[in-house]
Amino acid sequence: MRLIFLGPPGAGKGTQAGLVSQKLGVPQISTGDILRDAVRAKADLGLKAKAFMDSGALVPDDLMLALVQERLEKPDCQKGFVLDGYPRTLPQAKALDRMLEAERQKIDAVVFIDVKDEVVVWRLSRRRVCPGCKALYNLDANPPRMEDKCDECGTALVTRADDSEATIRTRLKVYRNETLPLVDYYQAKGVLKTTAGEGTVEDIFTAIMEELSEVGQV
Ligand code: AMP
């Protein structure tokens, strides 16, 4: 299955995309994680992307298209993938369609997880991430067993640089202006599946899997 996870920052896209990718046995492709790894490695892409990311702006489309094209060409994407954080603009969505059409493929479903702005601000200011295995935590809803250490790999957890309240507000504005129009774009294509993003991780996952079972074998 070829899936896209869409929603505001802090909607739970990363968490749910991870669970769905495990369940379906296809890779989760988080463009944010790929960019953060490139920033940490001081790779060319990371140097170009860092200032945009730190301010809560989007990284330019041409860089994102090249990144996604290269990742989708890898053999592990042959059976499907879960895109988490891409596309975020209409030109990105159209470019993805063109890439897939060239391979006679298409997106099977777009999982849109919606949550209110205040929930986003609260969730992200309490978020901690593992720079090692990319596991995600929330100090209230899903705390690590040991303070500041990843349950999965023991790496010290960090707060993302862009999870400060001012940057979260900028990211929400960017989301509304640039990314929200994709809801109509995918609705018109008949592939949009909307899920409320407030509830337990397990309940939201169950709701998403129910939606996906209508699309195909999951
Ligand atoms: P995320 O981890 O998905 O919240 O992404 C973190 C940051 O990486 C975003 O705020 C953007 O600056 C950048 N980013 C990730 N994915 C994209 C994308 N598809 N287009 C543009 N910028 C992106």
Side-chain angles (χ1 to χ4, degrees):
M1 241 189 209
R2 295 179 180 86
L3 303 177
I4 291 171
F5 274 66
L6 194 64
K13 296 188 298 295
T15 301
Q16 295 297 335
L19 292 171
V20 170
S21 101
Q22 268 176 21
K23 179 88 181 170
L24 302 185
V26 296
Q28 172 186 8
I29 301 174
S30 159
T31 46
D33 280 345
I34 295 173
L35 289 168
R36 277 183 293 278
D37 284 345
V39 169
R40 224 169 283 128
K42 298 198 167 41
D44 192 36
L45 170 68
L47 297 176
K48 288 184 183 144
K50 186 174 186 314
F52 296 103
M53 296 173 75
D54 284 350
S55 67
L58 292 182
V59 173
D61 286 340
D62 56 338
L63 288 181
M64 296 311 301
L65 299 192
L67 179 163
V68 165
Q69 175 130 35
E70 193 188 321
R71 182 63 188 89
L72 293 185
E73 278 168 2
K74 298 229 161 100
D76 65 336
C77 292
Q78 274 312 305
K79 280 199 316 188
F81 50 76
V82 178
L83 276 171
D84 158 20
Y86 185 96
R88 264 177 154 101
T89 64
L90 266 176
Q92 290 183 13
K94 289 179 179 166
L96 176 64
D97 284 346
R98 285 195 297 275
M99 271 179 232
L100 294 176
E101 270 160 27
E103 302 295 321
R104 293 169 201 263
Q105 296 170 353
K106 62 175 181 48
I107 292 297
D108 297 300
V110 176
V111 178
F112 172 46
I113 310 180
D114 203 11
V115 293
K116 292 196 257 326
D117 284 9
E118 287 323 304
V119 176
V120 165
V121 175
W122 167 75
R123 274 193 192 166
L124 293 188
S125 55
R126 303 289 288 160
R127 174 159 77 177
R128 298 295 179 272
V129 299
C130 173
C133 72
K134 319 294 183 216
L136 298 167
Y137 298 89
N138 179 286
L139 296 183
D140 304 309
N142 171 35
R145 280 195 295 274
M146 261 193 306
E147 209 181 326
D148 293 338
K149 288 239 167 21
C150 179
D151 292 351
E152 309 295 328
C153 68
T155 304
L157 300 178
V158 297
T159 304
R160 273 174 48 173
D162 58 351
D163 277 347
S164 69
E165 180 161 350
T167 313
I168 295 168
R169 300 255 177 224
T170 306
R171 288 160 65 203
L172 277 168
K173 246 183 241 152
V174 170
Y175 167 74
R176 257 192 303 277
N177 293 339
E178 305 281 341
T179 310
L180 205 52
L182 296 182
V183 170
D184 287 344
Y185 179 78
Y186 288 118
Q187 177 92 61
K189 286 182 177 284
V191 288
L192 193 79
K193 305 280 166 201
T194 302
T195 307
E198 286 162 49
T200 66
V201 168
E202 292 73 22
D203 288 348
I204 297 169
F205 177 58
T206 304
I208 291 173
M209 291 313 292
E210 263 166 33
E211 294 272 15
L212 292 181
S213 67
E214 291 165 15
V215 178
Q217 204 115 49
V218 291

